[in-house]
Amino acid sequence: EVQLLESGGGLVQPGGSLRLSCAASGFTFSSYAMSWVRQAPGKGLEWVSTINNSGSSTYYADSVKGRFTISRDNSKNTLYLQMNSLRAEDTAVYYCAKELISLIEVADGRGFDYWGQGTLVTVSS
Amino acid sequence: AIQLTQSPSSLSASVGDRVTITCRASQGISSALAWYQQKPGKAPKFLIYDASSLESGVPSRFSGSGSGTDFTLTISSLQPEDFATYYCQQFNSYPLMYTFGQGTKLEIK
């Protein structure tokens, strides 16, 4: 059974940093691109970042570019999101999500077939 | 960047109704579109990929169609568990950005 379990959320002051983790199990983690998606309270889904299966290619939404860094450790089956210079508008539930198809280029993505339960990040003084 | 516009933003319907939700892309994306269902407090559930391919385990009353800029999600006969918010997402843009539509909230009439 595929499982994605996020952790690391919490309350942080504006300008602060936080690192989210997503522990994956039930599939060959190193074969799949992975993504982070967020949802502000009462709002829609926003794609944040994607990393290819090997970790050699990363992509970001304009809203987080230069502040967030996605990475992965395939030996630990874990996805990360390092968030720096946090702003109030980064307040959201952050989900990690798995790409549908294995061993494809990120540009050929097809969909996110499994999602974690989400971790809440609150940026407030 | 490619924008996705869903219509309507909200919709009231009854059990047994046939419902169609539209997703329009600001430029052509071939068939690189997925649909998700989200219920309050839950993670999104994957429904359809490649605009019209049904994910395994998703009931056959759900279907998708379209290519280029215009796409639809159709529920042929609404069931009580289908009342939720639906999102489209595109996978064909340069620079790469996996944009979501703003969502369509499907409510019970």
Side-chain angles (χ1 to χ4, degrees):
Chain A
E1 179 191 6
V2 171
Q3 291 194 342
L4 298 171
L5 185 61
E6 301 98 337
S7 61
L11 175 64
V12 60
Q13 292 188 339
S17 298
L18 213 55
R19 188 176 85 154
L20 306 183
S21 299
C22 172
S25 61
F27 65 104
T28 305
F29 181 72
S30 60
S31 294
Y32 291 86
M34 297 292 296
S35 297
W36 289 97
V37 175
R38 69 184 181 183
Q39 187 168 37
K43 303 297 185 182
L45 301 173
E46 180 186 14
W47 171 77
V48 172
S49 183
T50 294
I51 187 168
N52 71 345
N53 66 297
S54 67
S56 62
S57 297
T58 58
Y59 306 86
Y60 299 94
D62 287 343
S63 58
V64 306
K65 201 171 294 183
R67 300 187 299 123
F68 289 12
T69 302
I70 191 172
S71 63
R72 64 192 296 159
D73 186 336
N74 286 345
S75 69
K76 296 181 178 179
N77 290 349
T78 303
L79 175 72
Y80 302 101
L81 185 67
Q82 177 67 43
M83 304 186 295
N84 298 331
S85 303
L86 282 162
R87 307 166 179 167
E89 55 264 36
D90 296 318
T91 294
V93 173
Y94 285 73
Y95 296 101
C96 64
K98 169 189 166 291
E99 164 61 41
L100 173 66
I101 307 294
S102 65
L103 299 174
I104 59 169
E105 297 293 329
V106 172
D108 295 326
R110 315 285 275 281
F112 299 163
D113 60 345
Y114 286 93
W115 298 61
Q117 85 291 346
T119 188
L120 176 62
V121 172
T122 302
V123 184
S124 175
S125 55
Chain B
I2 294 177
Q3 309 293 327
L4 294 180
T5 303
Q6 291 183 229
S7 59
S9 295
S10 63
L11 173 62
S12 295
S14 301
V15 172
D17 284 354
R18 179 183 179 90
V19 166
T20 297
I21 298 169
T22 297
C23 179
R24 176 162 290 174
S26 58
Q27 59 192 80
I29 57 170
S30 185
S31 297
L33 190 95
W35 289 96
Y36 302 86
Q37 175 195 70
Q38 188 181 33
K39 296 181 179 180
K42 300 294 187 182
K45 176 185 176 182
F46 186 46
L47 298 177
I48 286 170
Y49 62 99
D50 291 348
S52 61
S53 296
L54 198 65
E55 167 66 346
S56 176
V58 174
S60 59
R61 63 181 180 272
F62 290 90
S63 64
S65 66
S67 66
T69 59
D70 294 316
F71 302 86
T72 59
L73 172 70
T74 298
I75 310 172
S76 60
S77 178
L78 274 173
Q79 299 301 301
E81 61 268 29
D82 299 336
F83 292 94
T85 299
Y86 293 84
Y87 295 92
C88 58
Q89 183 189 22
Q90 65 86 14
F91 288 83
N92 185 348
S93 66
Y94 182 82
L96 191 147
M97 289 188 187
Y98 287 164
T99 319
F100 285 93
Q102 84 278 14
T104 295
K105 187 173 184 179
L106 178 54
E107 298 175 304
I108 301 174
K109 184 182 285 184

